Amino acid sequence: MARARRERTVREVGVMSETIAEMLIRKGQEKGRRQGRKEGREEGRRQGRLEGRRQGRKEGRLEQARRSLLLVLTARFGEVPSAVAQTVNETASLERLTSWLGRASTAEALADVRIRPED
């Protein structure tokens, strides 16, 4: 009887050891997931801020190119037709705006700048 009780106690201790080990593993996994989520959120915020800055700088360059082009067009050719101003303001290509600005600085007439809506 003492032997049976001892064997049962050994089995219970073994089960408790496994249970404690499983609990420690589970807690470690939960801690790892929390840490991973935290690091993921921080990385996401960093990337979001960088992308926001890039997008803001791009929009700023586009807006400046639009203003410069309209200023040169007005100075060289007088009042800019609303269709031309609308095309300039709707253009999202910095290269296209820069090209028009270059032509506007030397063109004899507004039509020579060849400002056309994007296809």
Side-chain angles (χ1 to χ4, degrees):
M1 180 138 159
R3 184 173 184 213
R5 207 163 94 199
R6 184 169 178 249
E7 288 176 3
R8 190 175 54 218
T9 301
V10 168
R11 280 194 307 269
E12 287 175 359
V13 168
V15 169
M16 286 173 48
S17 295
E18 288 177 30
T19 304
I20 291 171
E22 290 169 353
M23 179 190 71
L24 291 172
I25 289 170
R26 189 181 72 252
K27 284 188 176 198
Q29 289 171 337
E30 289 171 1
K31 183 178 179 182
R33 280 192 291 271
R34 280 193 306 273
Q35 183 65 28
R37 282 193 294 268
K38 180 181 176 189
E39 290 173 7
R41 282 191 299 271
E42 289 171 0
E43 180 63 23
R45 285 186 192 114
R46 260 192 307 277
Q47 289 177 355
R49 281 192 297 270
L50 286 174
E51 183 58 31
R53 283 188 202 117
R54 278 189 217 114
Q55 186 64 31
R57 284 192 289 269
K58 179 182 177 185
E59 286 297 321
R61 286 190 298 267
L62 281 170
E63 188 56 36
Q64 184 58 47
R66 290 178 187 126
R67 278 195 302 258
S68 296
L69 177 57
L70 290 171
L71 181 65
V72 168
L73 291 174
T74 302
R76 301 260 352 264
F77 309 112
E79 187 175 340
V80 176
S82 62
V84 171
Q86 181 177 352
T87 298
V88 168
N89 286 319
E90 291 175 353
T91 298
S93 167
L94 187 58
E95 293 77 21
R96 190 173 181 138
L97 291 165
T98 303
S99 174
W100 288 339
L101 185 57
R103 286 197 301 259
S105 66
T106 59
E108 295 290 323
L110 180 58
D112 297 335
V113 182
R114 299 188 308 270
I115 296 175
R116 311 263 187 283
E118 294 182 80
D119 296 329

